[in-house]
Amino acid sequence: GQQVMQIPQYQHVQEGEDFTTYCNSSTTLSNIQWYKQRPGGHPVFLIQLVKSGEVKKQKRLTFQFGEAKKNSSLHITATQTTDVGTYFCADLSSGSARQLTFGSGTQLTVLP
Amino acid sequence: NAGVTQTPKFQVLKTGQSMTLQCAQDMNHNSMYWYRQDPGMGLRLIYYSASEGTTDKGEVPNGYNVSRLNKREFSLRLESAAPSQTSVYFCASTGLSYEQYFGPGTRLTVT
């Protein structure tokens, strides 16, 4: 089935530094969703990207979908301690059940 | 509006014991899902239900069964627990734009 690779697995940054996580697939992705999971918590939906080349922003977060729809990225500008958590990308299947295939996630630590 | 609720929050089982994880949503969503989350492996789909009355296998269904009791409730059963089923289990339902809403999770340990 569809495999979604996510890198890096871990990232430690100093507060105020930028952070980027990348999601890649060898096949064309349908729609990409991004989720954030705080330590000990559950995944929370952030955004969905649908179109090739799409760029969306949420305050300090910028989400991009590649032109070939084979990759996506999440960039956080000037990280804060509230950004700590694991960020997952997920490919939304085009079948009737609309399943999600998740990447393995990037765990972000922000050092104060 | 409670969203997605799960019970229990924590559970310890011995190998061979059975249990049912309960999930309910109050958002009138059609589709519901069960995932397991293991360290470094993201979330893997166990079973899903596209609508009331239907269930289908996901990526890792072995050792599990599900019941879609009604539109609100979707339960996951472990008939004979094994240590490999030690994990965090999440239930989710799907909104209008296919975004998923997750419950708080059940942390299961099988000894």
Side-chain angles (χ1 to χ4, degrees):
Chain A
Q2 175 71 285
Q3 284 210 330
V4 180
M5 315 303 286
Q6 195 171 349
I7 54 170
Q9 189 173 359
Y10 302 97
Q11 184 79 60
H12 293 201
V13 299
Q14 209 68 39
E15 189 174 15
E17 291 182 338
D18 292 357
F19 159 76
T20 305
T21 173
Y22 300 90
C23 193
N24 299 295
S25 173
S26 58
T27 58
T28 303
L29 299 163
S30 301
N31 296 352
I32 275 286
Q33 296 185 358
W34 284 92
Y35 290 79
K36 177 184 179 180
Q37 184 177 23
R38 288 200 161 97
H42 59 276
V44 174
F45 174 78
L46 294 176
I47 209 159
Q48 178 167 258
L49 304 174
V50 176
K51 300 176 186 174
S52 164
E54 190 168 15
V55 178
K56 287 188 176 180
K57 293 191 177 186
Q58 288 180 349
K59 297 184 181 177
R60 293 178 296 102
L61 278 61
T62 302
F63 303 85
Q64 294 191 4
F65 205 178
E67 292 290 342
K69 297 186 77 173
K70 288 190 175 180
N71 57 75
S72 180
S73 64
L74 159 59
H75 179 82
I76 302 178
T77 303
T79 53
Q80 300 174 359
T81 54
T82 53
D83 295 325
V84 165
T86 301
Y87 293 84
F88 293 98
C89 62
D91 180 40
L92 178 67
S93 73
S94 53
S96 59
R98 308 310 300 259
Q99 303 169 50
L100 286 176
T101 301
F102 281 84
S104 54
T106 296
Q107 187 175 318
L108 173 64
T109 301
V110 180
L111 305 168
Chain B
N1 223 356
V4 180
T5 58
Q6 290 183 238
T7 56
K9 284 188 167 52
F10 300 93
Q11 184 73 49
V12 179
L13 291 178
K14 294 186 177 177
T15 297
Q17 287 185 319
S18 62
M19 78 163 296
T20 300
L21 283 65
Q22 307 286 356
C23 173
Q25 52 91 10
D26 62 1
M27 297 174 281
N28 201 36
H29 290 163
N30 287 321
S31 299
M32 298 183 72
Y33 306 81
W34 276 105
Y35 294 91
R36 60 177 289 170
Q37 184 174 34
D38 302 298
M41 298 192 71
L43 292 103
R44 292 183 293 168
L45 183 64
I46 305 172
Y47 270 94
Y48 63 96
S49 171
S51 61
E52 186 180 353
T54 69
T55 61
D56 282 290
K57 295 178 181 179
E59 180 186 354
V60 289
N62 291 347
Y64 305 95
N65 284 301
V66 290
S67 295
R68 183 75 182 267
L69 305 169
N70 47 56
K71 192 170 186 179
R72 289 187 65 248
E73 298 170 290
F74 188 36
S75 63
L76 178 72
R77 183 159 177 84
L78 286 71
E79 289 291 351
S80 179
S84 60
Q85 293 179 305
T86 293
S87 189
V88 181
Y89 291 86
F90 288 102
C91 175
S93 65
T94 299
L96 290 175
S97 299
Y98 305 108
E99 72 277 19
Q100 292 198 3
Y101 296 85
F102 286 80
T106 294
R107 282 148 182 83
L108 174 67
T109 301
V110 183
T111 61

